[in-house]
Amino acid sequence: MFDVLVNEILKDKRTLIRSITLVFPLLIIIFTMLFFNSTGYVIESTINQWSFLYFNLYLALIIGLVDRHEKASTEYKTILSSPNNLFTFELGRILHGVLLSLMVSLVLALVLFLASFIFSTRVGIVSCLIAVGGLFLTTIWQIPLYTWLSRISNLYVTIGLAFLGSIISISCLGTFTWGKILPYSWSDLFPVALIRLHVNGIALKASEVAPDATWTILASIVLFILLSFLAAYSFRKQVTKNA
C-alpha cells in the first residue's frame, strides 16, 4: 500500500497537480481579499469560503486529474499486470489523495500565517490555523468517494458532485434542522466556533455562543474508513471484471 503511495507521488511530477496545490490557496485568499476586505475579516472569511466550497472543489479537481492521468496513460493496465493486491492498491491511491489534501492544507495555513502580518484577525491566528487543520479532517471522507467516482465516471462528474453537495449543504443548514447530518455540512459547521463566523459569513455577536461541532471530525473519519473499504472493494471487483 505504501509502495503504491510512493509510486503515485512520483507520477505527480509529470502533471500540474503539485502546481495547483501550491497556487490554489494563494488564489483563494487573493479572491477573498478583493471581495471581503471591507468586512475586516479577510483571514476568517478565507477559511469560511474554503470550508463550504473551495476545499471541496480542490479535492474533486485534484483526484479527478489523478484519475484522468492514469486513464490517459495506461487505462489501469499497468495496475492489472502488477503483482499488487488490487484492494490494497486502491487504498494506496486513497492515501495519495489524503497526502495531497494535507499538503494543500499546510500551504493554506502558511499563506494565512503570512497574511496575518497584513490583516488583523478577530480570533487570533492560532484559532484560524486550528480551523484549517480541522477542515482537513472534516473533509477527509470525500477522498475515497471522489477516487471511486472519478474512476467509474470522469473529472466533470466529480467536480459537479462537489459543487452540488456544497450548495445543498448550505441550503439545508439554513432551512432544515437535519442539515447537520449531511456530510458536506460538516466542514461548514466545524470552523464556526473557531473563526467566530456563521456559515453564511456573518460574524457571531460577542455574547453569542457557537455550538460545539468537534463531533464532525469523528464522523468524517468513520465515514472515510467505511468509504475507503467500499472504494477498494469496488476497485478490486470492477477492474478484475474488466481485465
Side-chain angles (χ1 to χ4, degrees):
M1 181 169 60
F2 291 102
D3 291 338
V4 175
L5 173 60
V6 172
N7 187 50
E8 292 295 314
I9 293 173
L10 293 176
K11 290 179 183 178
D12 286 350
K13 293 182 178 180
R14 301 191 296 270
T15 69
L16 293 174
I17 291 172
R18 295 187 184 182
S19 298
I20 294 174
T21 299
L22 293 174
V23 173
F24 194 71
L26 181 60
L27 294 178
I28 298 307
I29 195 170
I30 291 175
F31 171 83
T32 307
M33 178 183 66
L34 293 175
F35 289 92
F36 293 90
N37 188 38
S38 60
T39 66
Y41 305 119
V42 171
I43 293 179
E44 292 94 330
S45 295
T46 299
I47 297 173
N48 177 260
Q49 298 288 311
W50 183 259
S51 66
F52 83 84
L53 179 61
Y54 294 117
F55 201 4
N56 300 339
L57 292 180
Y58 166 82
L59 291 174
L61 171 64
I62 218 72
I63 293 173
L65 287 175
V66 170
D67 174 75
R68 171 178 281 190
H69 175 72
E70 188 66 46
K71 288 176 178 175
S73 59
T74 66
E75 279 287 345
Y76 291 99
K77 294 179 180 178
T78 302
I79 299 175
L80 286 172
S81 61
S82 71
N84 293 285
N85 180 282
L86 296 179
F87 187 91
T88 58
F89 200 103
E90 185 73 340
L91 292 180
R93 294 191 338 118
I94 291 172
L95 283 181
H96 178 232
V98 173
L99 179 62
L100 291 172
S101 178
L102 177 61
M103 286 178 58
V104 79
S105 297
L106 292 175
V107 173
L108 177 65
L110 177 60
V111 169
L112 292 178
F113 176 75
L114 296 176
S116 68
F117 291 99
I118 302 174
F119 305 103
S120 60
T121 63
R122 181 187 182 192
V123 297
I125 189 59
V126 174
S127 294
C128 294
L129 297 181
I130 293 174
V132 172
L135 289 174
F136 161 71
L137 294 174
T138 54
T139 56
I140 197 173
W141 66 270
Q142 297 181 34
I143 296 170
L145 174 63
Y146 296 152
T147 302
W148 167 78
L149 184 61
S150 62
R151 176 170 51 80
I152 67 171
S153 57
N154 56 55
L155 168 68
Y156 304 107
V157 173
T158 307
I159 294 177
L161 175 63
F163 180 78
L164 185 63
S166 301
I167 299 303
I168 291 176
S169 69
I170 289 293
S171 301
C172 288
L173 281 175
T175 308
F176 304 104
T177 56
W178 49 263
K180 295 180 181 180
I181 69 174
L182 296 175
Y184 275 101
S185 71
W186 297 342
S187 59
D188 303 338
L189 295 169
F190 175 79
V192 172
L194 290 165
I195 63 176
R196 302 293 296 172
L197 289 182
H198 286 291
V199 175
N200 60 9
I202 298 176
L204 272 71
K205 298 178 181 178
S207 59
E208 190 173 358
V209 178
D212 181 16
T214 54
W215 61 269
T216 58
I217 292 179
L218 178 60
S220 178
I221 292 174
V222 170
L223 186 57
F224 166 77
I225 294 172
L226 176 61
L227 291 178
S228 294
F229 176 84
L230 294 176
Y233 179 78
S234 170
F235 181 79
R236 182 175 62 184
K237 297 292 289 186
Q238 179 176 326
V239 177
T240 301
K241 180 179 178 180
N242 295 334

